[in-house]
Amino acid sequence: MRLSPDDLIYWQSGFFKLNATIVFTWVLMLVLVIGSRLITRNLSMDLKRSRWQNLQEIVVTALETQIREVGLRQPRKYLGFLGTLFLFVAASALGTMVPGFEPPTGSLSTTAALALCVLVAVPYFGISDRGLRSYLATYAEPTVIMLPFNLISEASRTLALAVRLFGNMMSGAMVIAILLTITPFIFPVVMTVLGLLTGMVQAYIFFILATVYIAAAIGVRKPSPQAGDPQQPSTTA
């Protein structure tokens, strides 16, 4: 029994290996790119739309709503990155329904790469919204003594993202593989459906956690009071 798609090697030359993780990662990315291109090539503004366009609008609207509810005021600004994370993990879970497919999220290297993407995206969006000096100052809040602890927090939550996703995705695949060897066919099919549901939940959790981390880096700032605002206290005697 393979514990990870890293163990399935298609080609090797010295130190370089072409394993199932790399192959199916690129296959999955190719499917997502071609699929998005096919869905968006003939978008319609009329009431009559294709089923794929309706599905696309449902997914995009749902993701934008979740991003806005977390606290990010401009969801379209973050939709490209966060939506891609969600679709990749979700498509990896859906791929388990295809015979012979090895989900790349079953490898710690893939989940670590996704977590590192979040690690890079958090300061990127934080600096772009608040500025470099203001963002770096958050690491010393509420006091400079917290600087090392905040840095450790950045690293530990990245590790937690990677290990959580890897553990949940790999455990589901292992349970199904074990059941296929000791039980009839029908029961593993039910477990496969439940594993698919678990994978979708993990995609949502990963998406939400990444959104929360970005929102924390940006911070919630209250809008400045406008002139003539009845709630603004008067400075005149």
Side-chain angles (χ1 to χ4, degrees), residues 80-193:
F81 173 72
L82 295 172
T84 301
L85 286 180
F86 174 81
L87 289 177
F88 182 85
V89 179
S92 182
L94 287 172
T96 57
M97 306 294 291
V98 180
F101 180 82
E102 295 284 345
T105 48
S107 169
L108 183 59
S109 59
T110 301
T111 58
L114 294 175
L116 287 175
C117 289
V118 177
L119 178 65
V120 173
V122 168
Y124 171 79
F125 287 115
I127 292 172
S128 65
D129 186 84
R130 307 180 61 164
L132 178 60
R133 184 173 181 178
S134 177
Y135 174 76
L136 293 179
T138 61
Y139 285 98
E141 292 179 352
T143 174
V144 71
I145 299 177
M146 295 300 298
L147 176 60
F149 299 101
N150 288 330
L151 293 176
I152 293 174
S153 174
E154 289 280 343
S156 61
R157 73 185 185 187
T158 302
L159 178 62
L161 272 178
V163 174
R164 180 189 295 111
L165 181 60
F166 165 71
N168 289 325
M169 299 298 288
M170 186 193 70
S171 61
M174 288 187 61
V175 168
I176 294 172
I178 293 173
L179 290 175
L180 281 172
T181 62
I182 62 177
T183 61
F185 181 72
I186 300 299
F187 187 66
V189 169
V190 176
M191 293 302 299
T192 300
V193 175

Side-chain angles (χ1 to χ4, degrees), residues 22-91:
I22 298 175
V23 171
F24 286 106
T25 295
W26 281 95
V27 168
L28 195 58
M29 290 191 297
L30 186 62
V31 169
L32 290 175
V33 170
I34 295 177
S36 62
R37 177 59 181 170
L38 292 176
I39 293 174
T40 58
R41 64 176 179 173
N42 292 318
L43 294 178
S44 174
M45 299 295 292
D46 300 329
L47 295 178
K48 185 178 180 180
R49 304 174 184 178
S50 66
R51 295 179 179 178
W52 287 108
Q53 181 176 344
N54 288 332
L55 176 61
Q56 177 201 24
E57 293 182 359
I58 290 173
V59 173
V60 170
T61 302
L63 293 179
E64 285 187 345
T65 301
Q66 292 298 315
I67 294 173
R68 186 179 294 108
E69 289 182 353
V70 169
L72 298 176
R73 299 180 297 275
Q74 298 175 328
R76 286 293 176 95
K77 180 179 178 181
Y78 315 97
L79 181 63
F81 173 72
L82 295 172
T84 301
L85 286 180
F86 174 81
L87 289 177
F88 182 85
V89 179

